[in-house]
Amino acid sequence: MDISLKGKRALITGASSGLGEVIAKEFAADGAKIGLNYHSEAEAAGKIASEIRKNGASVLALQADVSDAGSVEVMINTFVKEWGGIDILVNNAGIDGVRSLVWESNISEWEKVVKINLFGPFYCAREVLKYMVAQKSGVILNITSVHENIPWSGYSGYTAAKAGLSMLTKTMAQEVGSLGIRIMSLAPGAIKTPINQSVWNNPETLGNLLKKIPLGRMGECEEVARVAAFLVSDYASYVTGSTIFVDGAMIDYSNFTHGG
Ligand code: NAD
């Protein structure tokens, strides 16, 4: 199977590091034109953009804060003005926030996590769908998390936002299905990126994490990016409204591996 995204115009949010960066590179290698969104890491985004360009793909680095509706509107309009439309949106930008129990949490910190992880994808999808609905085609891939299913003490904003995003996916997929537009969630497990560096950098926390993963290891960004490329490609033409887990079976309650 040779995945081709030739000629597709794809916007990836939060693409200046981690999963977003590798998804952007994978899509570019598969022939897509890339809109590389970044928030504050202009230098990193510039480096990634020139690497992609060097490998022969077209790329546009676009600054925007996904949690700001006005900023998102400007970004999407710039993208569409440049390339005449949009075929793929990957809502990848996200943060997990500062660990705190609900009754100890700071309201503005909690709101920030929900704004970036849930409002952000909504703002981006809302703008992009205006074009996709008119052209009667397009694909949106929302990066959720195993924490759309698994509770995570101290991260209530993150889990609530990711679970909300999963339901937003299903509802939007229902709204646009008859127009031939597909919308899915991809839920990563524990993938080695800057977001969880403090966990995989420490042997004790890493050991504790690995016990939760039946495959016995963390995932690599490329293992997520390849699934993302498949899902946005025509090979996945009958997939919509679902969450696809890329998690080494983390959602399978690994504590039951040896019975109990
Ligand atoms: P990361 O920290 O490398 O990437 C997150 C990106 O989002 C960064 O580039 C950051 O600059 C960007 N971002 C943050 N706030 C933003 C804003 N307001 N506007 C635009 N961009 C913003 O971490 P990652 O692991 O690559 O995370 C990517 C996505 O994958 C996130 O949605 C995260 O929740 C999800 N995820 C990651 C894991 C994992 O184990 N790494 C697991 C489950 C889900």
Side-chain angles (χ1 to χ4, degrees):
M1 189 166 64
D2 208 1
I3 291 173
S4 170
L5 301 177
K6 201 166 171 19
K8 300 281 185 195
R9 298 154 296 187
L11 174 65
I12 297 115
T13 68
S16 55
S17 64
L19 284 171
E21 171 184 344
V22 180
I23 290 172
K25 288 177 177 168
E26 173 67 43
F27 286 14
D30 296 333
K33 293 177 170 181
I34 304 298
L36 190 110
N37 160 252
Y38 66 95
H39 181 210
S40 48
E41 298 164 311
E43 202 183 321
K47 268 192 198 150
I48 298 162
S50 28
E51 205 180 313
I52 290 177
R53 228 169 265 128
K54 245 187 240 154
N55 289 330
S58 303
V59 58
L60 204 58
L62 295 162
Q63 194 285 329
D65 173 356
V66 298
S67 67
D68 180 285
S71 173
V72 166
E73 191 181 351
V74 172
M75 167 174 71
I76 310 266
N77 287 343
T78 310
F79 181 101
V80 170
K81 205 169 162 201
E82 181 75 15
W83 283 326
I86 180 158
D87 304 297
I88 298 166
L89 165 68
V90 181
N91 274 316
N92 166 78
I95 60 167
D96 51 13
V98 183
R99 178 176 153 74
S100 65
L101 302 173
V102 166
W103 63 95
E104 294 167 345
S105 57
N106 171 296
I107 288 180
S108 62
E109 285 294 333
W110 203 90
E111 282 180 355
K112 184 177 170 193
V113 171
V114 177
K115 283 272 277 187
I116 293 173
N117 291 294
L118 180 58
F119 282 58
F122 169 73
Y123 294 150
C124 292
R126 181 175 174 273
E127 289 308 318
V128 157
L129 280 174
K130 291 176 187 171
Y131 296 99
M132 290 182 174
V133 164
Q135 73 198 19
K136 291 198 172 59
S137 66
V139 183
I140 298 178
L141 186 63
N142 293 319
I143 306 298
T144 58
S145 165
V146 284
H147 294 297
E148 69 161 67
N149 267 13
I150 305 176
W152 189 15
S153 168
Y155 293 91
S156 57
Y158 186 75
T159 55
K162 293 297 191 183
L165 181 53
S166 166
M167 193 47 85
L168 179 64
T169 294
K170 293 181 209 298
T171 303
M172 291 194 299
Q174 224 178 44
E175 291 183 1
V176 296
S178 64
L179 298 167
I181 299 166
R182 298 188 298 112
I183 306 190
M184 299 146 287
S185 295
L186 187 163
I191 316 298
K192 253 189 176 175
T193 73
I195 212 172
N196 45 26
Q197 193 164 0
S198 61
V199 176
W200 51 263
N201 255 349
N202 173 328
E204 195 186 328
T205 49
L206 176 63
N208 186 18
L209 171 66
L210 296 186
K211 282 190 213 141
K212 300 184 175 83
I213 310 170
L215 225 47
R217 64 174 176 85
M218 292 186 76
E220 299 295 334
C221 290
E222 289 72 13
E223 295 180 286
V224 175
R226 287 198 296 266
V227 178
F230 165 74
L231 290 173
V232 302
S233 79
D234 291 343
Y235 279 115
S237 51
Y238 205 58
V239 181
T240 191
S242 312
T243 295
I244 289 78
F245 288 86
V246 185
D247 68 339
M250 201 174 183
I251 52 162
D252 283 351
Y253 299 95
S254 63
N255 282 350
F256 286 89
T257 300
H258 305 291

